[in-house]
Amino acid sequence: KIFCRYTSVLRKPKNIERKMPLLIDSNQLAHYGTWLEIRLDRLLQNFQAIQQTAGTQVKLMAVVKANAYGHGLLPVAKALAGHVSYLGIASTREALALKESGVTTPIFLFGALLPEELPPLLLNGITLSVSSYEEAERISHLSESLSRTTRVHIKVDTGMGRLGLPLKEAFPIIE
C-alpha cells in the first residue's frame, strides 16, 4: 500500500496531528493555496513497498535531485540513506551537500559537468554519468592524476536524441 496525501486548501488546517516533522513549512506556501505534507516514516514505508514488489535482488535509486523535488534534500536523503542503493542528484552542489551532511549511501550525479566541477566529485567518490568518449577520457585522466578510481554510468541514446552515445556506436566506443 502506497501512502500519499495532497490537499488543496486556502489555509493549512490547524487540527492536523503530526508525529514527525514536516519537510516543508506549509505556512510559507500558503499564498499558493495548496500545501503538501511529507511524513518521512511513510516515505520509507513507500520505499519498502516498492522494494518488496521489485524484489530484494533489484537495486533502487532514490532520485532526490532539485532539493528532493522541493521536499528537502537532506531530510529525504537521510530518511532513505541505507535503504536505497543510490541517491540520484543533478548538481555538484547537491552531491557535496549530501557528503558534507554525512550521508554514506552512494551518490549518482545525472547530467554533464563543467571541468572545474570534476575534482571535488572525484575526491568524494561520486558516481558520474558519461555521455561521450571525450568526457570519459577527461574523467579517466583526472582520476589517474588524483590516484582515484571513479565509477561511471555510460549513457546510451536509444532514440530521444538528447544525451548519450549513439546506440549503434556505443558498444565499440565502450570497448
Side-chain angles (χ1 to χ4, degrees):
K1 182 175 182 180
I2 303 293
F3 300 96
C4 183
R5 178 169 66 192
Y6 172 80
T7 307
S8 179
V9 294
L10 292 179
R11 298 190 61 147
K12 178 177 74 172
K14 295 183 190 241
N15 61 348
I16 291 184
E17 190 176 313
R18 290 185 192 90
K19 294 181 181 175
M20 292 190 69
L22 292 176
L23 300 182
I24 300 173
D25 178 1
S26 58
N27 289 324
Q28 295 173 357
L29 302 177
H31 63 279
Y32 290 107
T34 59
W35 64 279
L36 182 66
E37 181 177 305
I38 304 290
R39 288 185 42 194
L40 296 176
D41 61 334
R42 295 292 175 91
L43 179 67
L44 186 54
Q45 285 179 350
N46 289 347
F47 166 76
Q48 290 167 337
I50 293 167
Q51 184 71 73
Q52 185 176 9
T53 301
T56 55
Q57 74 284 1
V58 176
K59 293 183 178 185
L60 297 177
M61 175 189 301
V63 179
V64 294
K65 68 180 186 171
N67 192 30
Y69 294 93
H71 304 307
L73 173 66
L74 296 180
V76 171
K78 286 182 176 184
L80 295 173
H83 300 281
V84 296
S85 297
Y86 268 95
L87 295 168
I89 48 86
S91 71
T92 298
R93 189 185 84 245
E94 290 174 328
L96 298 179
L98 288 174
K99 283 296 188 177
E100 289 169 7
S101 75
V103 170
T104 58
T105 299
I107 298 168
F108 177 79
L109 197 149
F110 298 102
L113 301 165
L114 298 171
E116 59 270 16
E117 293 178 282
L118 288 175
L121 296 169
L122 300 183
L123 291 170
N124 281 284
I126 308 300
T127 300
L128 305 175
S129 58
V130 174
S131 295
S132 70
Y133 179 81
E134 295 75 23
E135 193 175 7
E137 196 170 46
R138 188 170 47 249
I139 292 167
S140 178
H141 289 306
L142 184 56
S143 293
E144 285 180 21
S145 73
L146 295 171
S147 300
R148 297 283 185 181
T149 298
T150 302
R151 291 181 181 264
V152 297
H153 170 89
I154 300 171
K155 289 187 177 187
V156 176
D157 180 1
T158 58
M160 288 188 67
R162 293 182 352 163
L163 294 171
L165 300 171
L167 181 59
K168 291 181 180 180
E169 300 169 23
F171 290 111
I173 291 173
I174 292 168
E175 291 176 341

